[in-house]
Amino acid sequence: MFYYVDGTVSVLQQGLAVIDCSGVGYACHASQNTIGKLKTGEKARLLTWLNVREGVFELYGFIDEEEKSCFLMLTSVNGVGPKAALSILSVAPPDRLALSIITGDEKMLMQAPGIGKKIAQRIVLELRDKMSKEQLETASAASPVAAAAVSGGVNHTQEAVAALMVLGYTQAEALHAMEGLDAASMEADEIIRQCLKKLVKS
């Protein structure tokens, strides 16, 4: 129903951003990742997702495509609702979330309020399995980066490539974004952040 809202930020609260669009305020549930990038009185565009349940309409807002994609991936996991997904994204933005899934770091997910060990394990297992089935089928046999990442024991560059694939980028796009980076001396999360900057601009 709503693809995005574009207007002026009128209210910022814990987990909520209100965007004034020509005099109409749209209340968007949002992660702290998104809220931290907004300023009251300034223009902003949030991608949105509408949740309809028992006559209640809830609008969720996201700062970029990567965050929205991660939100939808999280809510596809049995037992993870929209509020839980936002809670996770508040402590693990897209780059860290993708890396947590690839490396099996359930403790990162458990830092989110309301996320226990069982749910964290389920998220890692289901999303890593989904990534291995849907993304690895397209990986080049001559460059088994993502396959190695799923099986474990990979270097930071391989982890970063696999994490970018979780976020929806192809292996070729991820490798192209790494060109010019001194990846050998960088941690995986920093490689991902630098690559995302390039990919968003392209």
Side-chain angles (χ1 to χ4, degrees):
M1 185 175 180
F2 299 101
Y3 187 79
Y4 65 81
V5 291
D6 192 337
T8 303
V9 180
S10 60
V11 177
L12 288 177
Q13 297 177 357
Q14 181 79 17
L16 183 71
V18 178
I19 309 298
D20 186 326
C21 302
S22 302
V24 178
Y26 291 90
C28 300
H29 296 283
S31 70
Q32 290 307 114
N33 172 54
T34 286
I35 290 174
K37 295 177 181 177
L38 302 176
K39 291 186 179 180
T40 304
E42 293 190 0
K43 297 282 290 182
R45 172 182 288 193
L46 295 183
L47 300 175
T48 56
W49 180 80
L50 183 64
N51 183 39
V52 181
R53 57 179 180 83
E54 300 176 354
V56 177
F57 293 78
E58 295 177 322
L59 196 62
Y60 290 78
F62 312 95
I63 197 66
D64 52 33
E65 291 283 1
E66 285 79 19
E67 188 183 46
K68 183 176 180 180
S69 175
C70 285
F71 174 86
L72 295 176
M73 281 197 303
L74 287 168
T75 55
S76 73
V77 176
N78 184 36
V80 180
K83 296 294 178 63
L86 280 192
S87 180
I88 292 170
L89 287 168
S90 290
V91 300
D95 55 343
R96 296 180 68 188
L97 175 62
L99 190 57
S100 296
I101 293 168
I102 290 302
T103 60
D105 185 6
E106 61 194 48
K107 291 183 179 179
M108 166 63 72
L109 305 180
M110 290 169 62
Q111 293 179 22
I115 303 301
K117 186 178 182 66
K118 286 186 177 180
I119 289 294
Q121 289 177 332
R122 187 183 303 159
I123 290 169
V124 169
L125 288 173
E126 287 193 22
L127 294 185
R128 189 158 57 174
D129 284 347
K130 182 179 180 181
M131 182 265 183
S132 64
K133 291 176 183 177
E134 296 182 1
Q135 303 287 355
L136 300 189
E137 288 176 355
T138 63
S140 167
S143 180
V145 173
V150 172
S151 63
V154 300
N155 62 36
H156 293 160
T157 301
Q158 292 170 328
E159 288 179 346
V161 171
L164 289 166
M165 290 175 70
V166 170
L167 295 177
Y169 295 101
T170 66
Q171 187 181 36
E173 288 173 329
L175 292 173
H176 181 69
M178 287 186 186
E179 292 180 2
L181 296 181
D182 185 14
S185 65
M186 300 166 65
E187 294 294 324
D189 55 351
E190 180 60 23
I191 297 172
I192 298 167
R193 280 194 290 271
Q194 294 298 324
C195 288
L196 284 174
K197 288 180 182 179
K198 290 185 176 182
L199 290 165
V200 169
K201 291 178 181 179
S202 62

